[in-house]
Amino acid sequence: SEVSNKMKLLNTTQYIGVREEAFENDGVNPSETNAPDLVLWDRDRYTDWQEVLLGQTASIQHFNLSVSGGNNNTSFIMGGSYNNKGAVFPGAFGYEKITSNLSVNHRSKNRKFRITFSANYGLDNNKLFVGTNYVNQALTLAPNAPALYQEDGTLNWENGSCTNPMASLYQPQDVKSFSLLSNLHMSYELLNGLSIKANLGYSDISSEETVKRMRESFNPNLWNTVILRSNH
């Protein structure tokens, strides 16, 4: 899947024209602080941020397998499935789910004893958490905003004059969920119309969440400022 429709946005020339007119109407002079896009950044640069931030193809995979069999007294069915969904955003975001199931039915030859067992196991691995609103960034980033990466592959903060939406790639969140549901039913017919029955069940549901905030995700200019303030 992919984003089917994108908004029509201003190009760099149109954008700069609107920005300069806004400053002129307010009677304010653009500066490095209030208008880095007009003062510091390349006025001839153009980037289609919708293509960069929303232009990925999200793959979807689904596999299912089941096996069944048995005879006059015993039957069974077992199976499993695997689902994987990607995202249109840059980075390794995705959702993964694995499930398996087993069901067994048995009846004695004299038809007095019956037993049924079923179990379901599931594993969810959710990596779809996105720390940055890529849709908002794609629509609001200036078309002449700096490149996201420097030549050495590190994030580009343009000397602290911009934010970098790729910072969220260094703030991964991994949520794993586990579930096991099982049931055992047994019955025995003592006399005609009189039976004893037993139902047993076991369930286990748990989740594990890991969140990382790597140093690369912080603007080094702000990071150094925080360190200096802490030292004082």
Side-chain angles (χ1 to χ4, degrees), residues 4 18 75 96 230:
S4 58
V18 171
S75 63
E96 190 176 49
S230 299

Side-chain angles (χ1 to χ4, degrees), residues 171-207:
Q171 297 180 351
Q173 178 172 320
D174 190 2
V175 181
K176 294 182 179 180
S177 300
F178 310 87
S179 65
L180 173 62
L181 303 175
S182 60
N183 179 264
L184 177 65
H185 172 77
M186 296 182 294
S187 66
Y188 187 80
E189 184 178 3
L190 298 174
L191 300 171
N192 188 21
L194 177 62
S195 301
I196 57 174
K197 298 180 180 180
N199 281 298
L200 303 174
Y202 176 80
S203 62
D204 182 15
I205 301 175
S206 61
S207 63

Side-chain angles (χ1 to χ4, degrees), residues 10-11 51 53 58 61 63 88 143 168 171 189 215 224:
L10 302 178
N11 59 35
E51 186 64 29
L53 301 179
Q61 303 175 53
F63 302 94
V88 297
S168 62
Q171 297 180 351
E189 184 178 3
R215 183 170 183 171
N224 292 333

Side-chain angles (χ1 to χ4, degrees), residues 151-172:
E151 292 183 359
D152 61 0
T154 59
L155 296 182
N156 180 26
W157 302 97
E158 201 70 9
N159 297 318
S161 65
C162 68
T163 60
N164 195 316
M166 295 297 101
S168 62
L169 301 182
Y170 297 90
Q171 297 180 351

Side-chain angles (χ1 to χ4, degrees), residues 96-135:
E96 190 176 49
K97 184 174 184 179
I98 301 173
T99 60
S100 61
N101 59 82
L102 171 66
S103 178
V104 179
N105 293 279
H106 174 73
R107 190 172 185 177
S108 62
K109 292 182 178 181
N110 60 10
R111 302 296 182 181
K112 291 188 175 183
F113 176 70
R114 295 183 181 181
I115 182 172
T116 301
F117 173 78
S118 63
N120 293 274
Y121 176 78
L123 169 63
D124 288 57
N125 190 3
N126 190 349
K127 294 183 179 181
L128 283 177
F129 172 79
V130 182
T132 295
N133 187 335
Y134 283 121
V135 177

